[in-house]
Amino acid sequence: MPHRIEVILKPGIKEALGETIAHRIRKHLGKEVERINTVEVYTISEDLPSGMLELFAKEALCDPIVQNAMVNKSTALERDFHWAVDVAYRPGVTDNVGRTAREALALLMELPVDQVPSVHHSRQYLIKCHPDHVLSALDVESIANDLLGNKLIQSFSVYDRSTIKEMKKIQPKAPKILESTDVFTENIDLDVSDEELLRLSRERVLALSLEEMKQIQAHYRRPEVMEIRRHKGLQTRDGEATDVELECLAQTWSEHCKHKIFNADITYTDEEGRTEKISSLFKTYIQGATKEVRRAAGEDDICLSVFKDNAGVVKLDDEWSLVFKVETHNSPSALDPYGGALTGIVGVNRDPFGTGKGASLIFNTDVFCLASPHRRKELPPRLLQPLRVLEGVREGVEHGGNKSGIPTVNGAVVFDERYLGKPLVFCGTGGLMPAEINGKPSHEKAACNGDYIVMVGGRIGKDGIHGATFSSEEFHEGSPATAVQIGDPITQKRMFDMLLQARDKGLYTAITDNGAGGLSSSVGEMAEDPGGADLDLGKAPLKYSSLQPWEILVSEAQERMTLAVSADKIESFMELARRFSVEATILGTFNDSGYFTVRYNENVVGHLPMEFLHGGLPPMKLTARFDPAPESDPSSEELWLSAENTTGSWNRVLLEMLSRYNICSKEYWIRQYDHEVQGGSVVKPLTGAHDDGPSDAAVLRPLLGSMKAIVVSCGICPRYSDIDTYHMAACALDEAIRNAVCVGADPSRLSALDNFCWSDPIKSPQNPQGPHKLAQLVRANKALYDLCIAYGVPLISGKDSMKNDYRSGDIRISVPATLLVSVLGIMEDGRKAVTSDAKKPGDVVYILGQTRCELGGSEFLATKNRVGCSVPKVRPQETVPRYKALHKAITAGLLRSCHDASDGGLAVCLAETSLGGDLGMDIDLSKAPVQRPGGSDLPPEVMLFSESQGRFVLTAEPDKTEELENILAPHGLSRVGLVTDDSIFKMRTTNDKVLINLPVSDIRQAFKEALSSERF
Amino acid sequence: MAKVRALVLAGNGTNCERETAHACRLAGGDEVHIVFIWDLLAGKASLGDYNFLVLPGGFMDGDDLGAAKAGAHRFKHGKTPAGESLFDQLQTFIHGPKLVLGICNGFQLMVKLGLIPNPAALLSCDDHDNDDQKEKTPAKSPSPQEATVWANDSGRFEDRWVYLTADKSSPCVFTQGTHKIDKLDLPIRHGEGKVIFGSLDGLKNALDNHLVPLFYASPDTGRPTEKYPENPNGSPRGIAGICDPSGRLFGLMPHPEAYSHFTNHPRWSRDTLNKDLAKDLASEEEGAGLLLFKNAVDWLHRYAD
């Protein structure tokens, strides 16, 4: 019989969680409540020995100072409330608290964990209504649905006070999976019509096209294939595949895993009607750029392993290698923002960990693209309120990063209404590994013929089934809920602790992550080196017994790595795993048979030639046509600026710009992420006199005994895509590089990652815009190619997510073409790092880099609901030598501060420098370097807010200015003013006309309040 | 001179072990070992071989049952093959001339195990003027948990630097040893850092007996504060750390190991670092957080066996 233990706070103890929930009910849902109390509920699935329940409650679950526990009795009646809502996980959903409580019970009972009853955690919310706003049962249900939980993964029970009073207690109910006894493999006849093939693909969520289905059909029709299958003892008839094989092929061939669009044959026509053929964007532009950069670098090439492993690997020095990968987790985050983002961050942790022999993890990054959190409009079906999405993804990354002990050092948040349909959640992780481990290069690995296939970490459940294929389609009302899961950072941390020991002892030959596609993908890919594998799904450890073989194969259940362990090491490996309480299971062997053989105990349930599995997919043939919308730049008059052309109005415009969501302080996020664990923090995300100025990039020392530092930065500017994705991509790369150089990274030792998030670029009746979107992709690739070569920055890894659309009936919401560029830099000496805040009154302020008439796609025009056409352009002939010279000045210690001008232009950049230092500035903008067409003065809105690339605001102490000017004068440097001690931020222009005159405190307030914690 | 043999505990969700071990080494620790709790439980390592136990920050068992709650439970009920619990080992450990430092999650663990403030220990070491530090021994038997560390008033995890002032009359070996620590900047990184005593007397006793060596303070007034954000979690009277009456068992929410180099400080490039503390450091490079570890090392060199 199940039992229920309730733990409640003692009277008088502050309900921090309850207060947060009450605040959110008011803020997010617009409903009044008086108070929320919370009760932690533990359900024990079966009877325990006498007295054990009480002991368990007292010893393990209840803090005697602040909590009371009750066994099989409702604590709610001790509180004044109107409604009680129990929120419990649905059966099979990862329940971290329940897992920990069960381990505690096992310790108490002195038994192994799997021999004690399961424990399930749920939470009860006691709602006391506001006297003037009585909540109905319906109101309470909507609070449960919209805030307290997510019905995809949680169930709700609502009680009113009198019901609980009558019952005295709530009947305990342990979530239980209905265990079906029939485990079987289905044979699927592929000798069917085209319509039938398409129906199969759709109904099984295979996400395969007709052409791909026919490719598979043809395989099974080949006589030699039939012969081998009969010989192998597969229980299929000729022309039939097993469900295991079909699922395995669908995962391996999914857009998510195979990047079919990036590898397609594309016929591209530009705006002038010129046509060219491109065979694989990836090979031509991404790999192509890196190849050229590496060739040009010669002996100075820093790349060690690019585009072949889970993450890119570059040299830090001769003894250490750096690993970096950024992933997106958009589709799961649309369904369950918390779980999606949590699995996003702990998932990308496994990429550097599964790269080469395995890296220890040294930093995380996070970039979110979201709709405005304070949008209050009716939502299309199945979409979640943007505020809830924001809070969910923020908290998911918080729990994933903080609990893993990895500092979240860099990130960005971009707001645009078009992210309502699918939020973009980019999660990145960097790693560090010795260049050599046990005498061999750490970035190389290969499973060997005869090695055991060992799965380590969590168990397999139905969670995450079809994640890879699901993310390869658009988000719709019927999107599968099983794609949602909750991450478990502690199980993963235990596994990483153990695996790092195993790595250093040389206990395994290869390692990879179980991410998209699960075992199908990890074993299938590792088997490429030895040339085959024999995998027994019957041996796989399961969370519950009702999984079909195909589900075991493709489940994306988290916290699992697959390893190759040689026969002579297997015993030591398994012993180490046992000691660290980490589950490790031998699932078969790697071989050189040329086949990926899948068994379920005695039966062969899948037998696929490696060659067909990995090489059988023909490239797609696609058409791209660039068809830009006609746009022109609005004139000053059109913008109604003439009327505003006074000091007071420019003051107002600047304050409005500083409080734009895309510009304002993200301190609310930053503070909730541990950004300095591991002890090597040098430049933090916030800087300055009051730790509240924005930093351009992170600087950290991964080796605590050394001054060597790494720099992490990013660039993202999707607004420019509305004009031209070529310049969007160029600017994203320039911004990331500029940010890195700004804090002190050596521009000759940078590497970059590209993450594309696009709207579906394949033409269909529902998607007539497909060819233009594909052309946008082509242009972005061309820009990356041109600029990476110009800067000598290799692309070392990347990812694409191509179906970021939402569709319901006639409503289609597509994300703007978005490219995130993440840059990893190296500094020989972290002590040379420079921050963005002004340091001392009397310091000289400089602007480096020309301002041009480039308001197109700017944050300023967005305030006028305009896009314009003069998009900022990157001019590497100017910026490449400029960045080198700037680095020289930084290394020589000539700068007090350096800040990159991006969103919001010079006015925002100068204001941030001033507020960071809590010091005034007196700036004469007419002295700023400019490129003016026809010699005329640039209008004030351009001088203030144009987003021309390649610009910086610098400050220097007066006695260093001569040396500084010697180095930077040839690169567009002008002295524009001074840092002052009067706490006034002042900008003048020609004839001493004052444009802006504001107290620094006003600037700080505008910057900090727009998205401060009170707004959530 | 006795050798400092430090055990820095790791595993099961602890995550600051590397920088904590680094700080121990920089401070002069002779042998500093990162030891996984699994090796202690398997009997492959033992507290008895060390004289400095450091419990670093992290999330033991994910803090799933409350901060360090399941971790404390594992200490009490997890057994070595010889049938001894880690708590038994710890009891033996603290009766020798040894030191325990708990940081963040380690502090939460110490409080929940009842190791601090443990006023019962006053009985065995009420003589603060006793020169022979070795005679000051913590309580002979485990005392019940007297306080706890609970959710921040803000309801949020936060990473921010705080300003700490010291009780100069505290017996705390770590703050009032060779180097007298005061006006120290350190980062806090926690969601559960508010100290709550089981009774008002408990709070009063701890303060009266100088068992609160460090307070969150306002940099303007230099006084302990309950005001957010100078006090990041709402701890009464600004309590940032607690020691036992012997001064040898000490835990704190802020992270001294995260300030082992001057560039760790968020305002290092602004030339505003505390010069008083800097003169106690071996070089301009060192961060003032190291002083806590240096005090421990000096004490052990002098008094350990």
Side-chain angles (χ1 to χ4, degrees), chain B residues 88-103:
Chain B
D88 297 338
Q89 268 191 29
L90 194 53
Q91 287 299 317
T92 313
F93 182 90
I94 62 181
H95 287 136
K98 302 185 176 192
L99 300 178
V100 183
L101 173 63
I103 301 164

Side-chain angles (χ1 to χ4, degrees), chain A residues 713-728:
Chain A
S713 69
C714 68
I716 184 167
C717 40
R719 277 174 292 112
Y720 302 156
S721 293
D722 293 336
I723 303 172
D724 188 345
T725 50
Y726 182 93
H727 298 296
M728 177 279 288

Side-chain angles (χ1 to χ4, degrees), chain A residues 785-800:
Chain A
Y785 179 83
D786 294 347
L787 272 297
C788 282
I789 291 175
Y791 278 115
V793 174
L795 294 164
I796 59 166
S797 174
K799 201 79 198 243
D800 56 277

